[in-house]
Amino acid sequence: MIKAIFYSKFDTQEGPKVVHQVPDGAIVPSSTAPGQPLFLTFSDISFFVIPRQELCGNLLQVCTNGYRILGYPICMKSDRYARNEFIFNFCIVLAEEDDFSQYKSVVQKLADLMHALEEQSGFLSRDFSKTGEGKVYSLCEMLMEDLNNYCECMIPIDELNTLNIKLFPIYPSPPSVKAWQVPLFTVRYQAFMDENWDLSLQRIVPHINGVNSIRIISILADTDFSLTCRAIRHLLYYGCLFLLDIFSFSAIYAPTAQFNLTIGSDEAMQLECARYVNTRFAPHQPVGPRTPVPPQLMPGASSAHGASSPGVGPLASSSHEPATSFAHDESRFDAEEIWPLLGDRDDGSAATVTDAPEDDGVLAGQGPRVVDGVGIVELYAALRQGQSVKQWYSQHSRQLANIDIRRFITFGVIKGFIYRVHKYACATGQPAPTTRSSSSMMHLNSSTGPSSRATTGYNTPYAASSVGEDAPISTHRGGSGERVGVLHGEHRGNTVSGSGPSGVFEDDEEDDIDDRTLSKYLDGTHSFDQICTELEISERELTKRLKRYPGEVLIIHR
């Protein structure tokens, strides 16, 4: 916000002089405004306001007394002036801590216009009006008022000249985007997208659904990868989207230090979360271990459906999210109907409040039980280091039955109260340890649990952590097993992994990644997301390949 505007010039008798100031008395004392406190002492900055000729024609700024003065001094030489030169400057006064980047163009454009007016008609040198009067004073007054109130101005000066200025926000340069990052819209792009958009943007935008990585978006849109990155950065610059990590049930998430200050105590945020994650309001098929495998990804379906693009999972279908603004139209629902319902019990019976224990705080006969704000906070608090999303789900499957798990995790990441714990592979340079028998290894896993140290080599154990498995969760209901496929956004081909009575089916293609290529990623600085994306393999395939690496590899979680 502009605090003051003043016009000064070099007077041949008095030297640097303030001719007009708005508000009156802000820069130099004025008899018409004796009660106006001075923002600064003009004599302290007069050298910078009316500088030497070498500094004229440049943007100058000086800070004093908590204020920042921006000016663009102009020196005009002509024999019609006393001493054959005329130096003037229109300055803007801002608070020192305020962002002044958008005002740089204002002072420069104002100086250029006054320079042109002075050359045409001597607009400034022939102005002999008193302080607080005349066209120049009115110009400064209107300029300050319009920019502060409307962020733009259109001030007619004479029949041929008009001062048009508009303040445009200056956003910081967007960060570079990576192939393994996942963009997610925060606005409804359909509201402002039209046929005049860039052609690359028009092809890319329909595939931005919070699931597809930038590499997959480039493939699905059939656009050059560098153009895709530029388009994503353009949308990121204007705050239209967030960049997230690839969602996986093998990923680890943990609460941040902001947990108690946000979701832990903010009831409005808890209700907003329930609205966003409740499958009742989801614009697409919910994500969960019970999500069925699409027919085109079943074994033998490739011949019937043709070659499909890699990484197209259940959420990468045509029914993608039109927008994700955390606010859907649920005005027809009561606040209590926003909370997700609890799932069925293991015996298939629905959970009602009549089944609730006496100390549950819920009266009987009020309908199905729900996951309220306290339940949502408890679910987020249950996320911790060393525990994958798959393990977390298996412990809270009933509460998560009607919750879109991907949206649940995404909400916490965007709000900043949970964070992703990445996995990195680091080759120590040591030879692989001696191979132990499978029976002793089974005893080790059952007695001591998973280890944070992974050893590799042929037939050697790879027990970096319990999250190293990409196998989906098998939920048992009524004594029967149900196989569920987990689709990875960075798979090479249609690889679907599963566990349970139905067994596991996946591509048995020969390994074509040599040790030299793999070793470039084993310095502890490349996450599994990056490795899988650049090598076009799944995390399971990467894990198997690391087992055969001729050396010891440590898996680091951070």
Side-chain angles (χ1 to χ4, degrees):
M1 181 177 179
I2 300 175
K3 302 296 184 181
I5 295 180
F6 66 93
Y7 159 57
S8 64
K9 69 177 182 179
F10 182 82
D11 188 274
T12 56
Q13 303 297 326
E14 304 178 26
K17 173 185 178 182
V18 175
V19 181
H20 298 290
Q21 54 185 332
V22 178
D24 199 14
I27 308 300
V28 294
S30 174
S31 58
T32 59
Q36 172 67 42
L38 292 176
F39 291 169
L40 48 90
T41 303
F42 179 71
S43 58
D44 295 341
I45 62 169
S46 59
F47 175 79
F48 301 97
V49 174
I50 305 295
R52 294 179 298 178
Q53 296 183 10
E54 292 81 0
L55 296 178
C56 291
N58 294 284
L59 179 67
L60 301 179
Q61 59 170 309
V62 58
C63 296
T64 179
N65 200 31
Y67 293 95
R68 185 186 304 273
I69 296 91
L70 289 179
Y72 197 91
I74 299 293
C75 179
M76 302 181 64
K77 295 185 178 181
S78 176
D79 54 6
R80 64 179 180 177
Y81 303 124
R83 299 189 182 182
N84 296 325
E85 65 180 14
F86 177 60
I87 303 177
F88 67 92
N89 194 358
F90 282 82
C91 297
I92 291 179
V93 181
L94 307 168
E96 185 175 354
E97 66 275 5
D98 289 351
D99 180 25
F100 63 94
S101 55
Q102 58 184 341
Y103 293 99
K104 293 180 180 180
S105 59
V106 173
V107 294
Q108 184 173 357
K109 186 171 184 178
L110 182 60
D112 291 340
L113 178 61
M114 293 302 159
H115 188 182
L117 290 174
E118 177 63 23
E119 286 184 337
Q120 294 174 10
S121 59
F123 181 76
L124 298 176
S125 59
R126 295 180 181 179
D127 178 45
F128 300 105
S129 58
K130 298 180 180 180
T131 299
E133 300 178 0
K135 288 185 176 182
V136 179
Y137 175 79
S138 299
L139 174 68
C140 295
E141 189 177 34
M142 295 174 62
L143 177 64
M144 176 177 171
E145 182 179 351
D146 289 353
L147 291 183
N148 282 342
N149 293 331
Y150 311 110
C151 296
E152 61 181 354
C153 69
M154 186 178 67
I155 305 173
I157 298 176
D158 54 30
E159 296 179 355
L160 301 177
N161 297 281
T162 302
L163 176 61
N164 293 286
I165 295 178
K166 184 177 180 65
L167 296 179
F168 292 96
I170 305 298
Y171 300 107
S173 298
S176 58
V177 297
K178 308 299 183 182
W180 55 92
Q181 292 177 315
V182 177
L184 172 67
F185 269 118
T186 59
V187 296
R188 299 187 182 276
Y189 68 87
Q190 297 94 334
F192 52 86
M193 182 177 178
D194 55 37
E195 66 277 1
N196 297 320
W197 273 34
D198 178 77
L199 295 179
S200 297
L201 270 176
Q202 293 187 40
R203 301 185 65 171
I204 290 169
V205 161
H207 301 287
I208 299 177
N209 58 4
V211 179
N212 296 328
S213 67
I214 295 177
R215 174 77 71 183
I216 295 301
I217 291 174
S218 175
I219 296 173
L220 295 178
D222 193 21
T223 56
D224 182 73
F225 178 71
S226 61
L227 291 179
T228 304
C229 291
R230 289 181 61 183
I232 296 297
R233 292 190 71 208
H234 186 79
L235 295 172
L236 196 63
Y237 177 80
Y238 289 104
C240 296
L241 49 78
F242 282 104
L243 290 180
L244 305 171
D245 298 309
I246 297 173
F247 177 79
S248 171
F249 279 92
S250 63
I252 301 176
Y253 294 88
T256 68
Q258 301 297 320
F259 185 83
N260 289 335
L261 300 178
T262 53
I263 192 72
S265 57
D266 191 342
E267 295 182 0
M269 184 178 291
Q270 296 168 10
L271 190 63
E272 181 184 6
C273 176
R275 251 195 330 263
Y276 183 64
V277 305
N278 195 339
T279 56
R280 184 177 186 179
F281 311 121
H284 55 67
Q285 186 179 8
V287 180
R290 299 178 184 177
T291 304
V293 178
Q296 64 269 26
L297 295 182
M298 296 296 290
S302 58
S303 59
H305 295 278
S308 62
S309 299
V312 183
L315 281 179
S317 62
S318 59
S319 59
H320 66 277
E321 291 183 64
T324 309
S325 60
F326 299 152
H328 300 286
D329 183 17
E330 293 95 15
S331 57
R332 64 185 184 276
F333 298 103
D334 296 333
E336 293 301 326
E337 295 179 322
I338 299 296
W339 305 114
L341 299 176
L342 282 174
D344 297 341
R345 298 184 182 277
D346 293 338
D347 58 2
S349 60
T352 61
V353 295
T354 56
D355 305 323
E358 294 180 358
D359 59 347
D360 211 12
V362 183
L363 299 177
Q366 290 183 350
R369 294 185 59 193
V370 297
V371 181
D372 58 5
V374 176
I376 288 176
V377 173
E378 290 176 347
L379 287 174
Y380 277 119
L383 295 167
R384 63 178 184 272
Q385 292 268 7
Q387 175 184 256
S388 66
V389 175
K390 182 181 75 172
Q391 295 170 326
W392 168 77
Y393 177 87
S394 65
Q395 299 170 12
H396 306 89
S397 58
R398 188 159 166 257
Q399 293 92 325
L400 295 168
N402 293 294
I403 290 178
D404 189 318
I405 299 177
R406 182 186 63 81
R407 283 177 150 243
F408 190 83
I409 296 297
T410 298
F411 184 88
V413 172
I414 292 179
K415 293 297 185 179
F417 56 81
I418 65 172
Y419 68 98
R420 167 82 181 277
V421 181
H422 287 277
K423 294 168 59 176
Y424 299 84
C426 180
T428 63
Q430 301 296 326
T434 306
T435 304
R436 285 174 282 183
S437 64
S438 59
S439 60
S440 63
M441 193 59 220
M442 291 175 60
H443 175 72
L444 176 63
N445 285 340
S446 61
S447 60
T448 62
S451 169
S452 61
R453 184 178 181 88
T455 56
T456 57
Y458 289 98
N459 299 324
T460 58
Y462 185 84
S465 71
S466 57
V467 300
E469 303 171 349
D470 273 335
I473 308 161
S474 293
T475 56
H476 297 273
R477 301 181 57 184
S480 62
E482 178 183 359
R483 182 197 56 78
V484 184
V486 174
L487 309 179
H488 300 280
E490 303 302 334
H491 276 203
R492 179 177 52 203
N494 295 333
T495 303
V496 182
S497 60
S499 66
S502 300
V504 179
F505 61 91
E506 58 183 12
D507 290 343
D508 294 328
E509 59 181 272
E510 294 295 331
D511 177 50
D512 57 355
I513 303 174
D514 57 82
D515 293 335
R516 184 176 180 181
T517 301
L518 185 61
S519 64
K520 297 187 300 183
Y521 298 98
L522 303 183
D523 56 358
T525 62
H526 300 82
S527 67
F528 269 40
D529 286 352
Q530 178 181 359
I531 300 174
C532 292
T533 300
E534 295 186 357
L535 297 183
E536 299 182 356
I537 59 176
S538 69
E539 188 172 328
R540 172 177 289 239
E541 293 171 335
L542 175 61
T543 301
K544 290 183 177 180
R545 182 61 184 86
L546 288 175
K547 290 180 182 180
R548 299 191 294 273
Y549 186 77
E552 183 184 48
V553 177
L554 299 181
I555 304 302
I556 304 171
H557 295 83
R558 68 171 186 267

